[in-house]
Amino acid sequence: MAKMNMIQALNSAMDICMNRDPNVLVMGQDVGYFGGVFRCTAGLYQKYGAHRALDMPIAEGGIVATAIGMGVNGLRPVVEIQFADYIYPAVDQIVSELARLRHRSGGEFFAPVTIRAPCGGGIRGGQTHSQSPEAIFTHACGLKTVMPSNPYDAKGLLIAAIEDDDPVIFFEPKRIYNGPFDGDHLKPATGWASHPLGEVPEGYYTLELGKASIVKAGNAVTVISYGNMVHVAEAAIKASGLDAELIDLRTLLPLDTDCIEKSVQKTGRCVVIHEATRTSGFGAEIVSQIQEACFWHLKAPIGRVTGWDTPYPHAFEWEYFPSQARIIEALQRTLECE
Amino acid sequence: MAKMNMIQALNSAMDICMNRDPNVLVMGQDVGYFGGVFRCTAGLYQKYGAHRALDMPIAEGGIVATAIGMGVNGLRPVVEIQFADYIYPAVDQIVSELARLRHRSGGEFFAPVTIRAPCGGGIRGGQTHSQSPEAIFTHACGLKTVMPSNPYDAKGLLIAAIEDDDPVIFFEPKRIYNGPFDGDHLKPATGWASHPLGEVPEGYYTLELGKASIVKAGNAVTVISYGNMVHVAEAAIKASGLDAELIDLRTLLPLDTDCIEKSVQKTGRCVVIHEATRTSGFGAEIVSQIQEACFWHLKAPIGRVTGWDTPYPHAFEWEYFPSQARIIEALQRTLECE
Amino acid sequence: MMSSANKTIYQSKLFVPTASSRPETTPDFSHLKIPSPLASKRPQVLVDAADVTDLAYGLVRVLDDDHQAKGAWQPDLSPDKLRVGLRHMMHVRAYDRRMFNMQRQGKLSFYMKCTGEEAIAVAQGMALEDGDMLFPSYRQQGLLFVRKRPVVDMMCHCISNAKDNIKGRQMPVFYSWKEGNFFSLSGNLATQYSQAVGWAMASAYKGEKHIAVSWVGDGTTAAADVYHALVFASTYKAPVILNVVNNQWAISTPQTFANTGTTFAARSIGFSIVGIRVDGNDFLAVYAATQWAAERARKGGGATFIELYTYRTEGHSTSDNPDSYRGKNEAAYWPLGDPIERLKQHLICIDQWSEEQHLAQEKELKAAILADWKEAISHGSFAEGPHWPVETMFDDVFKDMPAHLRKQRDQVGA
Amino acid sequence: MMSSANKTIYQSKLFVPTASSRPETTPDFSHLKIPSPLASKRPQVLVDAADVTDLAYGLVRVLDDDHQAKGAWQPDLSPDKLRVGLRHMMHVRAYDRRMFNMQRQGKLSFYMKCTGEEAIAVAQGMALEDGDMLFPSYRQQGLLFVRKRPVVDMMCHCISNAKDNIKGRQMPVFYSWKEGNFFSLSGNLATQYSQAVGWAMASAYKGEKHIAVSWVGDGTTAAADVYHALVFASTYKAPVILNVVNNQWAISTPQTFANTGTTFAARSIGFSIVGIRVDGNDFLAVYAATQWAAERARKGGGATFIELYTYRTEGHSTSDNPDSYRGKNEAAYWPLGDPIERLKQHLICIDQWSEEQHLAQEKELKAAILADWKEAISHGSFAEGPHWPVETMFDDVFKDMPAHLRKQRDQVGA
Ligand SMILES: Cc1ncc(C[n+]2csc(CCOP(=O)(O)OP(=O)(O)O)c2C)c(N)n1
Ligand SMILES: Cc1ncc(C[n+]2csc(CCOP(=O)(O)OP(=O)(O)O)c2C)c(N)n1
Ligand SMILES: [Mg+2]
Ligand SMILES: [Mg+2]
C-alpha cells in the first residue's frame, strides 16, 4: 500500500492500464508532454511515448469523436476533458453517438471510451471552472456515470471504467484532488495522507461500477451523496452528532438502488446532497426513486441540499457551495418531522 | 377566431411578431424559401423576404451562436432546430452562453433568442427524430422551457416567448402538429378543427409563461403532464372513468408550483407523465418538488409514466410511447394505495 | 424593405445566397465550367498539398463528351471490372426504385434514394480494399452492393423485421454491417466524419495498413464535425479519405448556403490536405481519384478531401417534393449527365457492351430485386411483423443489462 | 515501441506534431522566414479573396530591422497617434505587472497577462471605430485601455468587489463593458467568435455601418465555433474581422497541434475569406491590416481573417509555469522582438521620442497604476469585501426573478 492523493491514484490507474494493454491510450488537451493541467497524466508521455499520451487540439467534440473512432477500431481511449465545464462542445458526440452506438447498431459496434473530467467548485474558478454537469449524462441512456470521492475508490473505479466495454463518464471533484475537503474553507488544508482512503494499493485492482459504499452506518436518517460532498456531509454529521447513515454513491448510473432502499427503509428519512444546480439535478432522480420504493417507510419529506439555480459565482463561492450548515439544517428539518 | 392546427398557429405567431417588430426574424435549416420541413415558417420568406426568413447552413451550433450575436445587437431571432434530436450540437452555445450571458455580464448583455424545436415520437422517426430532451435545458439555469399541447396555447406562448427578454427553448410535439393524438395509433387521425383549442384568434395575444392549465378538474388523483402526453392522459382518464385532475404544465421552467401543489394537496395522489426517457427526466424534478411540498398530503407514492431508458426504437414505437394502458395502470396503482 | 407597423424600416445590406433555380425560374447551369479530361494533371501521390491546390478548383474527369476515356486520370480498369461497376450501379437503382415504391405503398416508413449519384459509392467502394473501414452517410448504399451485402438483408433492415440485423432499432437506410466494415449510420449528420479520422488514427497507431473513408453531403459540410475531421486528420496525418458528395441540394437548401463562394474541395487547402474536385457522375474519374487518395493514405501521405460533383436527381427522401423549391426538372439541365448512362455509353463505345445487354441486365436486376423483396417480407413486414421480440428493445443499451432496465423490460410484459 | 506485458506491441505509424522547444532542447526559430516590409503588396480593399491568397502565406510588416517604416502597408499615423499607441501598450504592461504581482500576493484569485502581445489589442483597437463591437478573448485587455475604460473599474472587476460592474460573478479578466461595446468574456473558448458574426449580420440586416471584431488564440482555432464563424461569415458576407492571435502556445501545447502544417491565415482560403498574416509585434503593420479589413467590411466586402504572428512571452496564466514544458527563455529567441521596444525604437528613430521620455512615461504609468490599485481596493478586496450583497447572486439569471429563485435567495438569508 502507498499513500496517494487522488491525482496520484488516477495516474496510477492509467499507468497500470497502459502497461497491461497497448490498446489503452490517454488523450486530451495538455495531457501529453505536460501531463495535464492537474497533473493527472504526468509521466505517461515520458513512459509510453507521444503516441499513447496524446496532446490534442482544443476541440472537445473532435477529441470525443476521434476517441469513438479509435474505440470502434479496438482501442480503449481515456479522454481528459480539461474542465467538466468544457464538456458541452462534445455533448452531441457523447449523447447521440457514444451512448447509442451499441444499441443503434444492434450490438455490432461499440466504443469503450472513458471520459475523465475534473468537476465541481471551491477553487475560485467562477462559472466556467466549477460545474457539475453529471445529471445530463444520466439522462442519456447508454452511459455509465461515475464520481469518486477518494483516492482508493478513484483508482479502483477508473481501472474498472477503462476496462468496461460500455462508455463511462468519469467526473473527478477537483477540490479534493489533493486532500479531503469538508466545506470549511477557512480550515488549513489537509492532504490525503492522513485519510484511510488515501492508502492505495500500488498494483492492479478494480471496484465494481454501480456499487455504493456506506461511509458511516446510522439509524436516524440516510444521507446520500457523491464526490466532494461526501466529505462535507460526513463532517456535518459529525458536527451535528446525529445518528445518520452516509452513503457514497460512487456510481450514479447504474444506481445502487438496493443500498439506498435498504438504508431508507431502515431510517425512514433521507437527505440527498449534491453540488450541481438543484433543478433537474441528479438528486431529483434519487428522490423520485426513493419516494417510489420507500414511500411507506418515509417519515419526512426527502430533503435536497444542492447548489443554487444560478451560475457558480466567483465572489460568493462559499455561499453557493452546499455548506455543512445547510446540511445540518436539512438534517434537522428532516428529523423534526414526526 | 379561426380553426388552426398547431403549424398554422405557430406560423401565425411568427407572422404577427414579424409584422409588429422588424427586429424579429426567423432562421434555421430550410425555414426560408421552403417554409420549413414541417411548414411552420411557410410563407414568411415570401412575405418578409430572404433577409428575415433566413435559410441557414447545417450547423446548429453556428445557428444558435449567430442568433445570440444578433440578439446582443438588438434583434429577436426565432431559431428553428429541424428536430429536437439535433439540438445537441448547439448545447454549448445554449447552456454556456445563451443561458448565462445576462448573469455573467452583470446584466449588461442579453440575447432574447427563442429556439423552436419539434420534439417527441410517434411518427416512426426512430432514435434521431423522436427525442424529448427538455430536461437538460431545465437543469441549465437561465433558460425558460416551454412545451405547448395545442394550437391555442402554442400561439399565445410562442408570441410570449418571442417577446420575452429571456431565452426560451420552445419544444413542439410534432405528433400533434396536425391534430390531437391520444396514443391510439390505430384510430383514424383527427384534426384540430374539432378540438376546442383548435379555435385560435387570428390576431395578437399572449399567454403568460410559467402558468399551467387545468385541463380537467378532479379529486381523486392529480395527473401532471405536458405536450403530446396531455392528450394521452386525458383519454386515459376518460377511458378509466377515474376522477382525476389533469394539469398541462405548458411551461416547465419556471414551473407553476402553485397550481401543482394546490391540486396534489387536494387529491393526495399524483402521476407524472412524459415521453422522455425516465432517468433524470423532468418528471424527477416534478416528483421531488411535490414530495417536498405536499408530503403530508400524499396517500400514495407519486407515479411516473415515461419513455423507457432506451433509445427510441423504430419497430417498437408503440411499446415505447407511454400508452393509455400504462397510464391507467399507474393511476390505478396510485389509487389502490390506502 | 420590409413592411412594419410603426417601427423603423430597415434597409438590409445582408448578403443572402441564391439558388440555382426555384419553381418560378428556369434552371440554368450554363455558367458552370466543365473542363476536358485532358485539363487535369495527375500528381504523384505523395505530393505536397500546397503544390496541387489547382486540383481543388478543377474537375477531374476521364470520360469525355464522346464517352471515350481520356487524360492523365484514366484508371487501370478492365472491361470486366467496368461491367461489374455498371451492374452494381444498375442494381442500386433497381433497389432504390423498388424500395421507394414500397414506401409509397406503405411497406416502409421512409426511404432515401441515391439516384444520379450511384457512381460515387460504387466506384469508390471498388477502389478500396475490403479491410478499409467505411463511415458513410445515407446515400452510399452502393457500398453495400460492392461489398456483397445480401440485398435481402438490406431489405430486412428497411422493414425492421425479425431478420433485421439491427433489431428494428433504426429507420430504413440507417444500415450497419460490421462484417462488411460498414459503420452504423447515424441520424445526426456528420458525426461519423470525425469518428472516421479516429478510426484511421487507431489504424496508424496499430501500424496497420487499413484506411478509413467517410462521406458527407454538401449541406453537411457546415457541421462542426467536418471541421474536427479536417483539423484532426491533418494534425495526425490520419490515413483517411474524406468525401463531400456535392449533389447541389440539402433538402430545399441550395449548396450556395454551404460552399462559401468557392469549391468544397478548396476547404481543405487551409489544412494542408489535398483537395480534389471530381466529376462524380464519371465512374472512371471517381475510381481513379479514390485509388489515388487510398494509395496516398496507405503510403503515409495522410488525408485527402474529395469533392464529388454530382446532382441529386430526385427528392431528398420519401418525405420530400423537390418541385416545391427548385426549378421543374432541374435534373434535366444538369450538365454532367447520368452516371449509369455515361458508363454504359463508354462500354458500348469501346465495344464491351450493347443496348441489348443493358436492357437484359436491367430486366434481370429488376426481377432479382423483386425476388429479394418477396423473400424479405417472408421474414416479416414492418406493419405486421414478425419483428424481434419486443423485450430486445432493452438489449444493447449496455453490454450487460443493468437492474433498472431489467425492471423496465419486465413492465413491457416480456 | 511501447512495452507491454503479454500483448501485441504496436509499431505506431501515427504522426504526432512536435514543439518548437521543450525544456531539454534549445529553442531555435531560425527556420522562420521573416520577409522584409517591402515584400507584401497592399491590394485594394474590395479585392477577390482568390486573388490575394499570397497574403495568407506572407507576413505583412511595416517596421524593418532598422526601425524604419517601409513598404506598401505603411499606415497614415501621426507621431502623436503613435505616441498614444506606445503609451497604451506601456500602460497595459504596467497594469499586467501589478495585477500579476497582486495575484502572487493573494489579492486576486487568478490573472492573465498579455506580455509581448500588447500591439495587437492596442493597434487594432485604435484602428476601429467606437461603435464597432468587440468580442475579445482574454488577452485583449489593451482594447479597454484604447476605449478608455477606467483602470480602477477593471481592477474592481478583477477583485470582485462592490464596484465590480459584473457583480462578482466572474473570475478576474473576464471583463464585460457594454458602454464601451466590449462584449462579456466567456470562459468557454471560441464561443464569442461565431456570436460576433451574428452581431455583424444583424448590423448588416439593420443597414448599419458598424462592424464586429473578434479574437481567438492559435490553440482555440481548432474549436467548432471558429468553423461556424468562417462558414456563416462567408455565407452572409458579414462585416466582421476575425483575428487569430498566434502566440505559438496554448498552455503547454505548441501551435503545431492547431496549425495543421500551414499558416492559420490560410485557413480562410477555402471559405473565400481574405486571410492576412501579420507581424503581430509590429504596431504599424497590425494597425494597417486592421484598418484595411475594417474598410473592406464597411464597404460590403465581408469578413477578413487576420493571423497575428506573435509570441506569448510569459506563462499562460498565474496557474502556469512555462519552464516545465518549453525551452528555457524561448521568448528571447523569438525573432520578432517586443512590440513596445519596436515602436519605441521607431519613434526614436524618427526623432519623436527619447529614452528619457520613455523612462519617464514608464515611471508615470507605474505610479498611476499604483494609485489606481489603491483606489480599487478602497472599494473592497476579494478576500474581505465589501462585495455586492450576497443575494444579488440570484439577480440576472432571468430578467425578472422567478419564484423558485426568490425562494432560494431567501434561504441564503438575505
Ligand atoms: C445535425 C443534423 N441537423 C439536421 C439534420 C436534418 N437533415 C437531414 S438530411 C439534411 C440535409 C443534408 O443535405 P446534404 O448534406 O447536402 O446531403 P444530401 O441529402 O444532399 O445527400 C438535413 C438538414 C440532421 N439529420 N442532423
Ligand atoms: C472549450 C474550452 N476548452 C478548454 C479550455 C481550457 N483552456 C483555457 S485557455 C486554453 C489554451 C488556449 O490557447 P490559445 O487559444 O492559443 O490562447 P492563448 O492562451 O495562447 O492566448 C485552454 C485549453 C477552455 N477555456 N474552453
Ligand atoms: Mg446535398
Ligand atoms: Mg496561444
Side-chain angles (χ1 to χ4, degrees):
Chain A
M1 296 283 254
K3 302 271 183 207
M4 292 190 199
N5 64 25
M6 257 172 101
I7 293 167
Q8 293 160 333
L10 293 161
N11 186 278
S12 169
M14 288 184 269
D15 185 12
I16 285 170
C17 290
M18 290 175 86
N19 200 45
R20 288 166 70 96
D21 182 356
N23 294 312
V24 175
L25 37 80
V26 301
M27 52 199 265
Q29 293 150 23
D30 302 297
V31 305
Y33 187 93
F34 183 54
V37 295
F38 291 104
R39 324 292 311 132
C40 291
T41 57
L44 300 176
Y45 175 102
Q46 287 70 17
K47 187 164 173 188
Y48 298 103
H51 298 225
R52 290 188 73 191
L54 264 178
D55 279 315
M56 290 212 136
I58 303 175
E60 288 76 9
I63 294 172
V64 171
T66 49
I68 294 172
M70 290 175 180
V72 169
N73 201 352
L75 304 187
R76 286 190 183 274
V78 184
V79 168
E80 176 175 302
I81 300 290
Q82 203 162 78
F83 286 86
D85 316 61
Y86 304 138
I87 203 166
Y88 301 111
V91 157
D92 188 43
Q93 284 285 346
I94 296 173
V95 169
S96 306
E97 300 291 318
L98 185 58
R100 301 222 194 94
L101 179 55
R102 186 191 290 276
H103 193 265
R104 82 164 192 234
S105 69
E108 287 195 340
F109 294 101
F110 69 99
V113 174
T114 300
I115 299 179
R116 299 176 37 245
C119 71
I123 60 149
R124 309 192 292 193
Q127 53 142 5
T128 54
H129 303 86
S130 306
Q131 294 170 50
S132 300
E134 65 275 6
I136 292 175
F137 302 97
T138 62
H139 187 46
C141 43
L143 302 170
K144 295 182 176 170
T145 304
V146 174
M147 196 190 295
S149 70
N150 61 70
Y152 179 84
D153 287 1
K155 178 170 172 181
L157 291 167
L158 183 55
I159 295 177
I162 294 171
E163 292 186 345
D164 199 295
D165 278 346
D166 291 318
V168 180
I169 315 294
F170 195 95
F171 287 113
E172 304 166 0
K174 61 177 110 60
R175 186 58 167 87
I176 55 171
Y177 267 155
N178 289 304
F181 174 63
D182 69 7
D184 183 352
H185 63 286
L186 299 172
K187 254 181 30 189
T190 54
W192 281 108
S194 52
H195 193 283
L197 293 167
E199 290 281 343
V200 180
E202 279 169 280
Y204 173 94
Y205 68 97
T206 63
L207 291 181
E208 192 183 341
L209 303 184
K211 294 280 170 234
S213 86
I214 296 181
V215 177
K216 178 197 164 301
N219 292 299
V221 52
T222 301
V223 179
I224 299 173
S225 193
Y226 50 91
N228 189 356
M229 297 314 300
V230 171
H231 303 282
V232 186
E234 196 178 7
I237 292 167
K238 206 165 164 194
S240 66
L242 297 170
D243 181 24
E245 178 146 303
L246 174 59
I247 295 176
D248 177 355
L249 290 180
R250 305 200 286 202
T251 301
L252 310 191
L253 200 122
L255 184 63
D256 190 346
T257 47
D258 282 353
C259 173
I260 293 174
E261 289 169 19
K262 212 172 285 170
S263 177
V264 178
Q265 282 164 8
K266 175 176 70 177
T267 62
R269 301 173 197 269
C270 182
V271 171
V272 179
I273 304 166
H274 60 61
E275 197 180 335
T277 50
R278 183 184 195 80
T279 300
S280 296
F282 190 63
E285 179 60 32
I286 300 171
V287 169
S288 297
Q289 292 199 23
I290 294 173
Q291 74 81 35
E292 195 175 343
C294 310
F295 184 80
W296 303 106
H297 297 84
L298 283 176
K299 300 177 211 152
I302 307 161
R304 280 191 285 173
V305 182
T306 68
W308 307 118
D309 284 325
T310 76
Y312 218 108
H314 180 247
F316 308 119
E317 193 161 34
W318 302 115
E319 287 79 6
Y320 185 96
F321 190 93
S323 61
Q324 286 187 36
R326 281 174 60 203
I327 294 170
I328 292 171
E329 206 249 316
L331 290 174
Q332 282 166 344
R333 209 174 337 111
T334 305
L335 286 161
E336 272 159 20
C337 291
E338 212 40 74
Chain B
M1 296 282 253
K3 302 272 181 206
M4 292 189 197
N5 62 26
M6 255 170 105
I7 293 167
Q8 293 160 333
L10 293 162
N11 186 278
S12 169
M14 289 183 269
D15 185 12
I16 285 169
C17 290
M18 290 175 85
N19 200 46
R20 288 165 69 97
D21 182 355
N23 294 311
V24 174
L25 38 80
V26 300
M27 53 198 265
Q29 295 151 22
D30 302 296
V31 304
Y33 187 92
F34 182 54
V37 295
F38 291 103
R39 324 292 314 132
C40 291
T41 57
L44 300 177
Y45 175 102
Q46 287 70 18
K47 187 163 174 188
Y48 298 103
H51 297 225
R52 290 188 73 190
L54 264 178
D55 280 313
M56 289 212 135
I58 303 175
E60 287 76 8
I63 294 172
V64 172
T66 49
I68 293 172
M70 291 174 180
V72 168
N73 201 352
L75 305 187
R76 286 190 183 274
V78 184
V79 168
E80 176 175 300
I81 300 290
Q82 203 161 77
F83 286 86
D85 315 62
Y86 304 138
I87 204 168
Y88 301 110
V91 158
D92 188 43
Q93 283 286 347
I94 296 173
V95 170
S96 307
E97 299 293 318
L98 185 58
R100 302 224 193 92
L101 179 55
R102 186 191 291 276
H103 193 264
R104 81 165 192 234
S105 69
E108 287 194 342
F109 294 101
F110 69 99
V113 175
T114 301
I115 299 180
R116 298 177 39 244
C119 71
I123 59 147
R124 309 191 293 192
Q127 53 143 4
T128 55
H129 302 86
S130 305
Q131 293 169 51
S132 300
E134 66 275 6
I136 292 175
F137 302 97
T138 61
H139 188 44
C141 43
L143 303 170
K144 295 182 177 170
T145 303
V146 174
M147 196 189 296
S149 70
N150 61 70
Y152 179 84
D153 288 1
K155 178 170 172 179
L157 291 167
L158 182 56
I159 295 177
I162 294 171
E163 292 185 345
D164 199 294
D165 279 346
D166 291 318
V168 180
I169 315 295
F170 195 94
F171 287 113
E172 304 165 1
K174 60 177 111 59
R175 186 58 169 87
I176 55 172
Y177 267 154
N178 288 305
F181 174 63
D182 69 5
D184 183 352
H185 63 287
L186 299 172
K187 256 184 25 193
T190 54
W192 282 108
S194 51
H195 193 284
L197 293 167
E199 290 281 343
V200 180
E202 279 169 281
Y204 173 93
Y205 68 96
T206 62
L207 290 182
E208 192 183 341
L209 303 184
K211 293 281 170 234
S213 88
I214 296 181
V215 178
K216 178 197 162 300
N219 293 298
V221 52
T222 301
V223 178
I224 300 173
S225 193
Y226 50 90
N228 190 355
M229 297 314 300
V230 170
H231 302 281
V232 186
E234 193 177 11
I237 292 167
K238 204 164 166 195
S240 65
L242 297 169
D243 181 23
E245 178 146 302
L246 174 59
I247 296 176
D248 177 355
L249 289 181
R250 304 200 286 203
T251 301
L252 310 191
L253 200 124
L255 184 63
D256 190 346
T257 48
D258 282 353
C259 173
I260 293 174
E261 289 169 18
K262 211 172 286 171
S263 178
V264 178
Q265 283 164 9
K266 173 176 71 176
T267 62
R269 300 175 198 268
C270 182
V271 171
V272 179
I273 304 167
H274 60 61
E275 197 180 336
T277 49
R278 183 182 193 82
T279 300
S280 296
F282 190 63
E285 179 60 33
I286 301 171
V287 169
S288 297
Q289 293 200 23
I290 294 174
Q291 74 82 34
E292 195 174 343
C294 311
F295 184 81
W296 303 107
H297 297 84
L298 283 177
K299 300 178 209 149
I302 306 161
R304 280 191 285 173
V305 183
T306 69
W308 308 118
D309 283 325
T310 75
Y312 218 108
H314 180 247
F316 308 118
E317 192 159 37
W318 301 115
E319 288 80 7
Y320 185 96
F321 190 94
S323 61
Q324 286 187 37
R326 281 174 60 203
I327 295 170
I328 292 171
E329 207 250 315
L331 289 174
Q332 281 165 344
R333 209 172 340 109
T334 304
L335 286 161
E336 271 159 21
C337 291
E338 213 38 75
Chain C
M1 52 154 297
M2 51 294 294
S3 74
S4 137
N6 20 5
K7 288 239 187 178
T8 334
I9 290 168
Y10 294 132
Q11 295 299 325
S12 174
K13 299 187 295 191
L14 187 68
F15 173 82
V16 180
T18 51
S20 49
S21 74
R22 292 295 191 191
E24 63 275 13
T25 65
T26 305
D28 180 8
F29 290 111
S30 61
H31 62 285
L32 294 184
K33 283 182 236 135
I34 311 290
S36 133
L38 303 173
S40 334
K41 293 205 192 77
R42 183 182 183 281
Q44 293 305 306
V45 298
L46 289 182
V47 74
D48 255 21
D51 294 335
V52 291
T53 54
D54 54 321
L55 286 176
Y57 299 104
L59 192 67
V60 169
R61 302 182 78 212
V62 171
L63 293 176
D64 73 5
D65 296 343
D66 303 328
H67 311 297
Q68 306 274 9
K70 293 268 173 67
W73 284 90
Q74 283 183 70
D76 183 21
L77 275 171
S78 67
D80 271 351
K81 268 217 155 175
L82 289 176
R83 275 187 298 259
V84 170
L86 181 68
R87 186 182 172 87
H88 282 318
M89 291 199 287
M90 293 169 71
H91 205 177
V92 171
R93 193 165 290 181
Y95 174 75
D96 274 359
R97 279 214 182 107
R98 168 145 294 268
M99 298 305 270
F100 189 91
N101 291 341
M102 293 303 96
Q103 197 279 340
R104 285 289 180 255
Q105 291 180 27
K107 308 286 187 199
L108 276 75
S109 61
F110 175 83
Y111 192 71
M112 298 180 101
K113 292 171 139 187
C114 65
T115 310
E117 305 173 29
E118 291 90 346
I120 293 165
V122 171
Q124 296 203 283
M126 287 175 65
L128 298 170
E129 294 180 6
D130 283 351
D132 296 336
M133 184 74 193
L134 313 173
F135 289 83
S137 178
Y138 45 73
R139 279 193 225 284
Q140 285 81 50
Q141 47 267 60
L143 296 166
L144 291 165
F145 288 82
V146 173
R147 293 232 167 145
K148 303 207 172 57
R149 172 87 167 137
V151 171
V152 171
D153 293 347
M154 294 174 62
M155 290 172 164
C156 288
H157 154 63
C158 287
I159 52 180
S160 284
N161 70 14
K163 210 173 168 282
D164 174 10
N165 69 310
I166 58 169
K167 308 180 186 172
R169 303 256 168 84
Q170 291 229 66
M171 281 173 74
V173 320
F174 289 83
Y175 306 103
S176 176
W177 189 39
K178 168 125 195 206
E179 206 191 312
N181 289 320
F182 182 102
F183 189 63
S184 155
L185 261 76
S186 175
N188 299 58
L189 293 170
T191 46
Q192 79 283 0
Y193 218 53
S194 40
Q195 293 165 4
V197 172
W199 194 98
M201 288 171 68
S203 182
Y205 168 74
K206 294 194 283 180
E208 292 171 357
K209 65 162 189 159
H210 296 309
I211 69 172
V213 188
S214 191
W215 290 262
V216 290
D218 47 298
T220 305
T221 56
D225 298 288
V226 170
Y227 190 60
H228 296 151
L230 289 167
V231 170
F232 283 70
S234 178
T235 300
Y236 304 102
K237 295 202 199 306
V240 65
I241 304 178
L242 298 170
N243 297 294
V244 174
V245 181
N246 177 4
N247 65 6
Q248 312 299 317
W249 289 92
I251 310 183
S252 76
T253 309
Q255 55 123 352
T256 45
F257 279 83
N259 70 14
T260 67
T262 180
T263 69
F264 288 100
R267 194 152 306 178
S268 67
I269 294 174
F271 303 86
S272 299
I273 289 175
V274 174
I276 314 183
R277 196 149 156 278
V278 180
D279 177 348
N281 290 5
D282 176 341
F283 184 93
L284 285 84
V286 174
Y287 186 94
T290 308
Q291 202 177 36
W292 187 94
E295 192 185 331
R296 179 172 166 83
R298 266 186 254 283
K299 287 192 169 153
T304 303
F305 192 66
I306 304 182
E307 173 181 355
L308 298 140
Y309 203 55
T310 183
Y311 187 83
R312 196 196 75 206
T313 305
E314 307 211 2
H316 173 70
S317 71
T318 46
S319 317
D320 185 47
N321 169 21
D323 287 348
S324 63
Y325 54 76
R326 72 183 182 194
K328 213 173 170 52
N329 247 332
E330 203 190 64
Y333 295 78
W334 180 246
L336 293 174
D338 177 81
I340 293 179
E341 186 61 22
R342 283 173 69 191
L343 183 55
K344 169 188 157 190
Q345 293 302 343
H346 172 61
L347 277 165
I348 290 176
C349 179
I350 59 170
D351 276 335
Q352 295 288 341
W353 195 242
S354 69
E355 288 287 355
E356 298 70 44
Q357 282 173 295
H358 197 82
L359 274 174
Q361 180 158 293
E362 211 163 64
K363 223 167 130 185
E364 175 211 333
L365 291 168
K366 190 175 169 185
I369 290 286
L370 177 60
D372 289 336
W373 175 257
K374 284 189 174 152
E375 186 184 335
I377 50 169
S378 79
H379 298 293
S381 72
F382 180 58
E384 310 284 330
H387 304 288
W388 282 71
V390 146
E391 67 269 24
T392 60
M393 169 164 83
F394 296 92
D395 294 342
D396 304 322
V397 179
F398 295 96
K399 188 178 180 196
D400 302 310
M401 198 182 300
H404 70 287
L405 283 176
R406 286 200 302 273
K407 221 164 113 184
Q408 294 184 13
R409 184 189 56 185
D410 294 346
Q411 287 173 52
V412 174
Chain D
M1 53 154 299
M2 49 295 293
S3 74
S4 137
N6 20 4
K7 288 238 191 180
T8 335
I9 290 168
Y10 294 132
Q11 294 301 324
S12 174
K13 299 187 294 191
L14 187 69
F15 173 82
V16 180
T18 52
S20 49
S21 73
R22 291 297 191 190
E24 63 274 13
T25 65
T26 306
D28 179 9
F29 290 110
S30 61
H31 61 284
L32 294 185
K33 280 181 240 136
I34 310 290
S36 131
L38 303 174
S40 337
K41 294 205 192 76
R42 183 182 184 281
Q44 293 305 307
V45 297
L46 289 181
V47 73
D48 254 21
D51 294 334
V52 291
T53 55
D54 54 320
L55 286 176
Y57 299 104
L59 192 67
V60 168
R61 302 181 78 210
V62 171
L63 292 176
D64 74 4
D65 295 343
D66 302 327
H67 311 297
Q68 307 273 7
K70 293 267 173 67
W73 284 90
Q74 282 183 71
D76 182 22
L77 275 170
S78 67
D80 271 350
K81 268 217 154 177
L82 289 175
R83 274 187 299 259
V84 169
L86 181 68
R87 186 182 172 87
H88 283 318
M89 292 199 287
M90 293 169 72
H91 204 177
V92 171
R93 193 166 289 183
Y95 175 75
D96 275 359
R97 279 215 180 105
R98 168 146 295 271
M99 298 305 269
F100 188 91
N101 291 340
M102 293 303 96
Q103 196 280 340
R104 285 290 179 257
Q105 290 181 27
K107 308 284 187 202
L108 277 73
S109 61
F110 174 84
Y111 192 71
M112 298 180 102
K113 292 170 136 186
C114 65
T115 311
E117 304 173 30
E118 291 89 346
I120 293 166
V122 171
Q124 296 203 282
M126 287 175 64
L128 298 170
E129 295 179 5
D130 283 351
D132 297 335
M133 184 74 194
L134 313 173
F135 289 83
S137 179
Y138 45 72
R139 279 192 224 283
Q140 286 80 49
Q141 48 266 60
L143 296 167
L144 291 165
F145 287 82
V146 173
R147 294 234 167 142
K148 305 209 169 59
R149 172 88 169 135
V151 171
V152 171
D153 293 347
M154 293 175 62
M155 290 172 164
C156 287
H157 154 63
C158 286
I159 51 178
S160 284
N161 70 14
K163 209 171 168 284
D164 174 10
N165 68 311
I166 57 170
K167 309 180 186 173
R169 304 254 168 85
Q170 291 229 67
M171 282 173 73
V173 319
F174 289 83
Y175 306 103
S176 175
W177 190 38
K178 169 126 196 204
E179 206 190 312
N181 289 321
F182 182 101
F183 189 63
S184 154
L185 260 75
S186 175
N188 299 57
L189 294 170
T191 45
Q192 79 284 359
Y193 218 52
S194 40
Q195 293 165 4
V197 172
W199 194 97
M201 288 171 68
S203 180
Y205 168 75
K206 294 193 283 181
E208 292 170 358
K209 66 163 190 159
H210 297 308
I211 69 173
V213 188
S214 191
W215 290 262
V216 290
D218 47 299
T220 305
T221 57
D225 299 288
V226 170
Y227 190 60
H228 296 152
L230 289 167
V231 170
F232 283 70
S234 179
T235 300
Y236 304 103
K237 295 202 200 306
V240 64
I241 304 178
L242 297 169
N243 297 293
V244 174
V245 181
N246 178 4
N247 65 5
Q248 312 298 317
W249 289 91
I251 311 184
S252 76
T253 309
Q255 55 124 352
T256 46
F257 280 82
N259 70 15
T260 67
T262 180
T263 68
F264 288 100
R267 195 152 305 179
S268 67
I269 293 173
F271 304 85
S272 300
I273 289 176
V274 173
I276 314 184
R277 196 149 156 276
V278 179
D279 178 347
N281 291 4
D282 177 341
F283 184 93
L284 284 83
V286 173
Y287 185 95
T290 308
Q291 202 178 37
W292 187 93
E295 192 185 333
R296 179 172 166 84
R298 268 186 253 283
K299 286 192 169 153
T304 303
F305 192 66
I306 304 182
E307 174 182 353
L308 298 141
Y309 203 56
T310 183
Y311 188 83
R312 196 196 75 206
T313 304
E314 307 211 1
H316 172 71
S317 71
T318 46
S319 318
D320 185 48
N321 169 20
D323 287 348
S324 62
Y325 55 76
R326 72 183 182 192
K328 213 171 171 55
N329 248 331
E330 204 191 63
Y333 295 78
W334 180 245
L336 294 175
D338 177 82
I340 294 180
E341 185 61 23
R342 282 173 69 189
L343 183 54
K344 168 188 159 192
Q345 292 302 342
H346 172 62
L347 278 165
I348 290 175
C349 179
I350 59 171
D351 277 335
Q352 295 289 339
W353 195 241
S354 70
E355 288 286 356
E356 298 69 45
Q357 283 173 294
H358 196 83
L359 273 174
Q361 180 158 293
E362 210 164 64
K363 223 166 133 185
E364 175 211 333
L365 291 169
K366 190 175 167 184
I369 290 286
L370 178 60
D372 289 336
W373 174 257
K374 286 190 174 149
E375 185 184 336
I377 51 170
S378 80
H379 298 293
S381 72
F382 180 58
E384 312 284 329
H387 305 288
W388 282 71
V390 147
E391 67 270 25
T392 60
M393 170 164 80
F394 296 91
D395 293 343
D396 304 322
V397 178
F398 295 95
K399 189 178 181 194
D400 302 310
M401 198 181 301
H404 70 287
L405 282 177
R406 286 200 303 273
K407 220 164 114 183
Q408 294 183 14
R409 184 189 57 184
D410 294 346
Q411 287 173 53
V412 175

